Amino acid sequence: MHAKNRLPSSGHNTPSPPASPLRSPRFRHSRAGKYAGRFPFGVSNRSVAQRVAWIVLSVLLRRQGVFLFAPLLYISGMLFYIGTVSFDVVPDVIKVRRAPGSVYQSLELYAKLRHEMEADNSTSDAMSAVWKRAKIGDWRPCINKFSGVAVAGYLNATVVIPNFHFHSIWRDPSKFSDIYDEEFFVKSLENDVRVVDSVPGYLMERFDHNLTNVFNFRIKAYSPIQYYKDTVLPRLLEEKFIRISPFANRLSFDAPADVQRLRCLANYEALRFSKPLLTMGETLVSRMKERSANNAGKYISVHLRFEEDMVAFSCCVYDGGAREREDMEAARERGWKGKFTKPGRVLQPGANRVNGKCPLTPLEVGLMLRGMGFDKSTSIFLASGRIYDSERHMVPLLEMFPLLQTKEMLASAEELAPFKNYSSRMAAIDYTVCLHSEVFVTTQGGNFPHFLLGHRRYMFNGHSKTIKPDKRKLAVYFDNPKIGWKTFKRHMLSMRAHSDAKGTELKRPNDSIYSFPCPNCMCHTNKTDDSRTTSTP
C-alpha cells in the first residue's frame, strides 16, 4: 500500500485530485463548438458588433438571473443615447393648448368682421321685433296696500329711516332723503308700519345718545321669518330698541304671502327717487326719446361695468399691455389693500374669462348688439361710471353706434353739478333712463341690474325686456378667429331670443322678489273675460 501524495505532482502517473462539482451545462462545451452550429458561416464571418450582440442575447436567454440587471442595462443605454443628443434641438418654449375663450381677442375679431358687418343689409327693424314674448304679457301690478306685516309689521315695531354705510370704493356720504322721497315713503307705508326719521330722545337717553351703544343684532343672511319671531322679538321686547346691521338680504325670499306683499309695496310703490333726481332723470328720458325719433322714440340702455375698479377687481386681462397691468395693480392696492397679493393668492385671468366673470368691454357690447340685429341708426343710452381708458375703448363702440349718448352728453355740466360728486345720485339718474328704455342690456350683474330686472317686469306686464347675455358663450365666440359674420350673427340672435324667453319667468321659492315680482307683486289677467278681471295669485 502506498501512502497518498497530498501534494500536486506534474507526473502523469500521479492520481488526479477529487473531481470538482459539475459546472453548468452551458459551459461544458468549447465556445467554438457552442456557436458553430448556430451561425451557418461561423462566428468568424460576422462583425465584432454582431458577435457581441449574439453573445449578450444568448447569455440573457440562458441565464434568467441576468434579467435582474435589465433595468440597469436599459438606463445605461438611455444615458448613452442622451449623451449623444444635442440640446439645441429642444424647443425653447413648450406650447400648451389654451382653453377656448381664455384670451381677449375681441379687437382682432372686430377687425375681421367689420367689413361684413357694415355690408350686411339684411337687418330688419330689430327695435320693433326684439320682443315676441312681451306682446302676450298678461300680468299687472296688484298690491293690496293694507297688506298686514313684513319684518317691522310682523314684530309690531317702528322702523327708523336707515343710514347708508360709507363705502370705501364709492365714497358717497348721501343720506336716505338725498336719494329717496322720504315723505312719500313714510306716507305709503302708514297703514302697514310706522316709520320715523329718528329715534325718540327718551330712548336715546338709555344709550347715552350714542347709537353704537345700542345692541346690534347680526342676523344670518336669508333667515326665515320665524327666526325673527323666536329670536329677534324677545330681545326687542327686552331692549325696546335694537339695530340690525347690515340688513341687506337678512330675510328669506321664501316668506309668507303677507310679508311678501309689504315687500312689494315698499320696493315698487313706496320707494321713489327724491324730486331733484326724479326730475333730472325724467328730463334725460325725454331727451333720449327725442333723439330716437327714427325708432318711434325707442332706445336701448346699456349698463356697462368697465370702470377701473371693476376691471381691477375682476382680475381679467385685456389688451392694454404693461400700462394696463400697472394700472390694475395700483387700483387693487388702493381699493383692497393686499387682498390680491397675499401669499397663496393666484390670479387666473384666463379662467375668469372662460367662466364669464370678465366685464364686457365697450367693443364687445357693440359687437354683440350689432350681431343681434341693431344697426347704426339705433339710439343707445350708456349707463356707466368713468370708463377705464375710455379714449381707446370707446372708439369702436362709437363707430358701430354713432347715436350713443351718456348723461354727460344729454345734460349740461351745470345741470349735473348738484349730483356730480355723489355716485349713488348719479346712478339714480342712470337707473331712471334705463327703466324707461325699450331694451335694457346688463353686462356684469350687481344690485343695479338686479333691481332693474324686477322693476321693468313690474312696469311691462311681467316681461323684463332685458338682454342678459351668456358671457361664457360670448368669450368663446369673441376668441374664435375663424368665425364668420353670418355664424356670429346667428349665435347672437339666438342669445337675444333666449333673453326674450327668460323675460317672463316667474319667481321660484328662493328667487329674489326684487328680480321676480310675479306672482307676489302682480296679478294674472283672466283672458277669457273682456273686462280683464284678475285672480289673486
Side-chain angles (χ1 to χ4, degrees), residues 14-29:
T14 307
S16 300
S20 299
L22 291 176
R23 300 177 67 189
S24 171
R26 284 173 286 186
F27 300 100
R28 290 180 183 174
H29 307 288

Side-chain angles (χ1 to χ4, degrees), residues 130-137 463 497 500-504:
V130 60
W131 308 124
K132 300 186 185 300
R133 299 294 184 97
K135 294 179 176 62
I136 60 172
H463 195 291
D500 186 15
K502 289 287 187 180
T504 55

Side-chain angles (χ1 to χ4, degrees), residues 22-91:
L22 291 176
R23 300 177 67 189
S24 171
R26 284 173 286 186
F27 300 100
R28 290 180 183 174
H29 307 288
S30 66
R31 296 191 177 185
K34 175 181 178 181
Y35 298 111
R38 304 283 179 106
F39 289 105
F41 304 103
V43 175
S44 59
N45 294 331
R46 299 289 181 175
S47 66
V48 174
Q50 290 174 323
R51 294 177 189 177
V52 172
W54 182 256
I55 292 171
V56 170
L57 180 61
S58 299
V59 170
L60 290 175
L61 291 173
R62 291 175 176 272
R63 185 180 290 273
Q64 295 180 357
V66 176
F67 278 108
L68 295 174
F69 297 96
L72 294 176
L73 292 173
Y74 174 78
I75 294 172
S76 300
M78 288 299 296
L79 290 174
F80 174 78
Y81 173 74
I82 292 173
T84 63
V85 176
S86 172
F87 285 97
D88 293 338
V89 301
V90 179

Side-chain angles (χ1 to χ4, degrees), residues 370-386:
R370 288 296 294 267
M372 289 181 175
F374 302 103
D375 60 18
K376 278 190 170 183
S377 66
T378 303
S379 295
I380 291 182
F381 176 77
L382 193 68
S384 174
R386 185 178 180 182

Side-chain angles (χ1 to χ4, degrees), residues 283-387:
T283 298
L284 298 194
V285 169
S286 178
R287 292 175 186 175
M288 274 304 302
K289 289 182 176 181
E290 290 174 4
R291 286 162 173 75
S292 308
N294 60 328
N295 281 307
K298 297 178 179 179
Y299 60 92
I300 292 177
S301 61
V302 178
H303 184 225
L304 184 64
R305 295 305 314 276
F306 204 71
E307 302 92 349
E308 185 177 66
D309 64 284
M310 191 67 209
V311 178
F313 187 81
S314 72
C315 298
C316 296
V317 174
Y318 295 89
D319 59 346
R323 178 193 166 189
E324 177 188 302
R325 183 173 62 252
E326 293 169 1
D327 288 346
M328 295 302 103
E329 289 174 353
R332 291 186 197 113
E333 189 58 31
R334 281 196 308 270
W336 296 278
K337 302 293 182 185
K339 174 183 175 71
F340 296 95
T341 56
K342 61 183 179 182
R345 181 68 182 262
V346 178
L347 306 185
Q348 297 180 304
N352 291 346
R353 184 169 301 282
V354 170
N355 290 326
K357 296 180 180 179
C358 291
L360 294 181
T361 64
L363 164 63
E364 291 174 325
V365 170
L367 275 173
M368 178 185 74
L369 291 177
R370 288 296 294 267
M372 289 181 175
F374 302 103
D375 60 18
K376 278 190 170 183
S377 66
T378 303
S379 295
I380 291 182
F381 176 77
L382 193 68
S384 174
R386 185 178 180 182
I387 301 296

Side-chain angles (χ1 to χ4, degrees), residues 176-195:
F176 185 92
S177 58
D178 295 323
I179 300 174
Y180 298 107
D181 188 333
E182 185 175 312
E183 182 180 348
F184 183 79
F185 181 75
V186 172
K187 187 168 182 59
S188 297
L189 297 175
E190 64 183 359
N191 293 317
D192 294 279
V193 61
R194 183 170 178 245
V195 182

